[in-house]
């Protein structure tokens, strides 16, 4: 099966899926009105029944861009901006969180339930964005699935993912691997999008972009980030449909990357 062109396989729900986070993000040309509390108040009124806890933070325009490979030695251009964060619980207890800035809208979930629920929520947010913020164009749309595979010994990874993903962990040197990161960017021409695939061993004290804190022990990253960075007209329903298609493509790549043992370990019923 070629995961770049074949239809996505039938979904096998995982009772104990190792998802650390799922993120959808839309970037748009800057709308300065979002900096004003009045705009945030209107957005809060539209979504507050679901995301009742609001905080205001000073963040940056980067580097949290889905689908952007990090180029070593190249400085990342950032500038300060207000991040309006809407969550379903205060502080670190949230399960769902929305971030609105003058340049992007992000939906994050820490305990993923289903693709259907996630994209219903994303579409609702896009509709509120269309009415209240009124961006005329999209600059980037991305959907990212971050899997955290916890292991006792590194050699376990070779039983859970394909050799192309496991890298040196399929060799007799696996026990000596401390840090291993691989990033591959592939084009999906039929759907005019790209997939950034990141995998490797993450040390206990390392922080992965998009996750809040180090995990506390070594783990294996399996990260699929499907995105389109071509400018286009913004329509809430069409954007939501495209994001859901990205998730289906991501799932096809995920199923190509993992083994039957992976599905069994995490509660999949085949």
């Amino acid at each position: 099966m070629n995961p770049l062109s074949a239809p996505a396989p039938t979904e096998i729900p995982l009772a104990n899926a190792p998802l650390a986070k799922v993120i959808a993000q839309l970037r748009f040309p800057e709308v300065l009105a979002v900096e004003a509390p009045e705009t945030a108040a209107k957005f809060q009124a539209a979504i507050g029944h679901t995301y009742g806890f609001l905080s205001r933070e000073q963040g940056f325009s980067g580097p949290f861009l889905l689908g952007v490979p990090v180029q070593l030695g190249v400085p990342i251009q950032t500038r300060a901006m207000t991040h309006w964060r809407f969550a379903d619980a205060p502080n670190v207890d949230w399960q769902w969180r929305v971030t609105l800035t003058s340049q992007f809208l992000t939906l994050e979930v820490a305990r993923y339930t289903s693709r259907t629920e996630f994209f219903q929520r994303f579409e609702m947010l896009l509709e509120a964005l269309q009415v209240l913020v009124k961006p005329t164009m999209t600059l980037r749309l991305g959907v990212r699935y971050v899997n955290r595979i916890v292991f006792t010994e590194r050699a376990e990874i070779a039983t859970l993912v394909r050799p192309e993903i496991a890298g040196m962990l399929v060799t007799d040197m696996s026990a000596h691997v401390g840090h291993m990161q691989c990033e591959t960017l592939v084009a999906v021409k039929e759907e005019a999008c790209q997939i950034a695939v990141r995998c490797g061993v993450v040390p206990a004290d390392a922080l992965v972009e998009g996750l809040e804190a180090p995990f506390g022990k070594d783990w294996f990253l399996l990260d699929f980030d499907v995105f389109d960075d071509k400018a286009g007209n913004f329509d809430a329903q069409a954007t939501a449909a495209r994001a859901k298609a990205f998730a289906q493509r991501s799932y096809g790549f995920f199923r190509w990357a993992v083994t039957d043992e992976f599905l069994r370990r995490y509660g999949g019923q085949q």
Side-chain angles (χ1 to χ4, degrees), residues 91-155:
N91 302 320
V92 297
D93 297 325
W94 60 269
Q95 178 176 353
W96 295 88
R97 186 171 71 175
V98 177
T99 301
L100 176 66
T101 78
S102 61
Q103 295 183 0
F104 63 82
L105 172 72
T106 301
L107 173 65
E108 306 169 77
V109 59
R111 291 183 288 277
Y112 188 74
T113 51
S114 71
R115 189 186 307 166
T116 297
E117 180 182 14
F118 184 84
F119 288 100
Q120 284 177 344
R121 286 175 177 256
F122 192 48
E123 183 170 0
M124 183 270 288
L125 294 169
L126 292 172
E127 289 173 348
L129 186 77
Q130 183 168 272
V131 172
L132 300 171
V133 178
K134 300 181 175 63
T136 58
M137 298 182 66
T138 64
L139 297 181
R140 176 183 296 272
L141 176 66
V143 177
R144 181 180 172 201
Y145 286 79
V146 185
N147 293 275
R148 177 188 286 130
I149 303 174
V150 180
F151 53 79
T152 303
E153 297 181 355
R154 287 168 172 75

Side-chain angles (χ1 to χ4, degrees), residues 185-265:
L185 187 63
V186 296
V188 185
K189 295 181 180 179
E190 292 83 357
E191 296 173 4
C193 64
Q194 299 182 73
I195 307 177
V197 183
R198 306 177 185 95
C199 55
V201 176
V202 180
D205 59 352
L207 182 62
V208 172
E209 181 67 35
L211 303 184
E212 275 67 36
F215 185 57
K217 63 179 294 184
D218 292 359
W219 57 284
F220 189 82
L221 171 71
L222 189 58
D223 184 343
F224 302 103
D225 185 354
V226 185
F227 68 97
D228 176 12
D229 59 2
K230 295 182 178 61
N233 295 327
F234 174 62
D235 175 80
Q237 291 185 345
T239 301
R242 185 151 173 75
K244 189 171 184 179
F246 286 2
Q248 292 173 327
R249 180 56 60 197
S250 179
Y251 184 71
F253 211 103
F254 165 79
R255 286 290 301 278
W256 171 85
V258 303
T259 65
D260 290 344
E261 175 59 27
F262 179 101
L263 299 176
R264 285 191 290 270
R265 170 176 289 200

Side-chain angles (χ1 to χ4, degrees), residues 51-71:
Y51 310 94
F53 295 86
L54 170 63
S55 63
R56 175 167 53 181
E57 302 175 12
Q58 283 300 113
F60 296 91
S61 56
F64 187 57
L65 301 174
L66 299 188
V68 177
V70 174
Q71 300 180 55

